[in-house]
Amino acid sequence: MLDYASLAAVAAVAREGAFDKAAAVLGVTPSAVSQRVKGLEERLGAVLLTRGQPCRPTEIGARLCAHVEQVRLLEGDLVADLPRLADLAEGPAVVRIAVNADSVSTWFPQAAARFAEETGAMLDLVMEDEAHTAQRLRDGEVLAAVTADPAPVVGCKTYPLGAIEYLATASPAFMARVFPDGFDVERLRHAPLLRFDRRDGLQARWAQEALGVRPEGPVHWTPATQGMLDMNLAGLGWAMTPRALAEPHLASGRLVELPPGHAISVTLYWQRSRLSARLLDQLTQAVRTTAGEALVEASVDRR
């Protein structure tokens, strides 16, 4: 029989990133968490957590953490069927998933609200670039993911969701400063731009597809969707903005499109564990329904 108290300690440290934070969540002392983790590592003859700031699970540790998350999800189904077990539960059920920042800033909150209203369960969101969320699923860190990666993850089901459309935008002040004589491709190539992080290739993709150039201007690194929009509005650089966020500002004149008519899209998928769990089924339904209402129909993926 597995030692679930020790497994819970490993999962808590991996989730919270530190032994003291895990202890606070579990309601025990940091020493107790350390002893449980160390004892399990000794019994298995393997290191389960790399100690650092933050602590991270090893490959074996990640597999055990995934098992703990699955058990918790199944326990949630059991409590729903046997209400007398509710007193033994550790609070509301929690589903851990990976989602990209632009989804969280546009359509995903409506899906989360539907799920929470129907189930009373909580979500633990792991923020990651849409091209890399599937890796979190492969590593066992999450039970489902909104991803741009259509390659099926072993042990998971995949559902197409639709696509987020992006427009190249800039403020009128930026346009007047950078393009005093009107829009010019060569000036754009050297103009300041905004990027989410080092893996964000949307600006380069748009410039290549729309204008046949590669942007080489200085970069303001802005790892937040709202922050990037605010920086864009402030005139610090041009950026790729989700259409849903850009349209109100385009209508008010606070942003302009450069040049118009060259939207690009990123196709999204929902990948979830095949685990037969009611909460995961309900979350999948909420995600698919909301995405169907909010996202555009996906064309051929050109990523």
Side-chain angles (χ1 to χ4, degrees):
M1 190 70 177
L2 294 176
D3 178 356
Y4 279 97
S6 296
L7 285 173
V10 172
V13 175
R15 185 172 57 251
E16 302 298 327
F19 281 76
D20 57 343
K21 293 180 181 178
V25 169
L26 296 174
V28 299
T29 65
S31 176
V33 173
S34 180
Q35 289 174 10
R36 291 177 188 180
V37 172
K38 184 178 179 181
L40 187 57
E41 288 179 327
E42 289 175 348
R43 289 195 295 277
L44 295 177
V47 176
L48 304 178
L49 295 165
T50 56
R51 277 66 167 174
Q53 296 295 330
C55 295
R56 298 288 189 190
T58 62
E59 183 177 351
I60 296 174
R63 291 182 62 187
L64 293 176
C65 291
H67 174 74
V68 172
E69 297 296 335
Q70 291 172 0
V71 169
R72 284 179 176 161
L73 208 56
L74 293 174
E75 284 180 348
D77 282 358
L78 196 59
V79 169
D81 293 335
L82 301 172
R84 290 188 177 182
L85 292 176
D87 291 341
L88 302 177
E90 299 179 352
V94 180
V95 185
R96 197 164 199 243
I97 62 175
V99 189
N100 61 308
D102 286 345
S103 289
V104 172
S105 295
T106 52
W107 65 274
F108 188 81
Q110 288 69 44
R114 274 182 165 144
F115 171 69
E117 182 177 359
E118 180 181 351
T119 67
M122 310 302 288
L123 292 176
D124 182 356
L125 302 186
V126 176
M127 302 293 286
E128 181 63 273
D129 181 87
E130 66 270 9
H132 301 276
T133 48
Q135 189 59 46
R136 300 281 191 145
L137 195 53
R138 293 186 184 94
D139 292 342
E141 293 183 51
V142 297
L143 292 168
V146 175
T147 178
D149 185 355
V153 175
V154 176
C156 293
K157 298 178 183 179
T158 303
Y159 304 91
L161 295 178
I164 293 182
E165 276 195 312
Y166 290 85
L167 306 176
T169 60
S171 72
F174 177 88
M175 297 296 291
R177 183 174 72 251
V178 176
F179 307 109
D181 300 318
F183 180 79
D184 178 81
V185 172
E186 189 61 23
R187 282 184 176 272
L188 178 77
R189 192 161 71 90
H190 297 286
L193 68 152
L194 306 174
R195 287 179 62 189
F196 191 87
D197 58 23
R198 268 70 179 174
R199 296 176 298 189
D200 177 11
L202 281 179
Q203 286 72 215
R205 176 186 154 193
W206 175 84
Q208 184 61 48
E209 292 182 10
L211 306 173
V213 299
R214 181 179 181 84
E216 299 176 358
V219 176
H220 290 290
W221 302 101
T222 315
T225 300
Q226 185 59 48
M228 184 175 288
L229 178 60
D230 291 341
M231 298 273 275
N232 197 208
L233 289 165
L236 287 157
W238 68 276
M240 301 307 301
T241 307
R243 182 186 288 275
L245 298 181
E247 284 186 334
H249 299 291
L250 293 171
S252 69
R254 296 186 69 201
L255 288 178
V256 297
E257 190 179 354
L258 68 162
H262 293 284
I264 61 173
S265 63
V266 173
T267 303
L268 298 177
Y269 304 86
W270 176 248
Q271 295 214 40
R272 53 152 290 185
S273 166
R274 290 183 179 273
L275 181 71
S276 181
R278 188 180 304 139
L279 280 177
L280 204 49
D281 292 340
Q282 291 169 304
L283 177 58
T284 296
Q285 184 59 48
V287 166
R288 296 182 69 190
T289 299
T290 305
E293 297 168 351
L295 301 181
V296 301
E297 184 177 353
S299 56
V300 177
D301 195 347
R302 298 174 293 169
R303 286 177 65 85

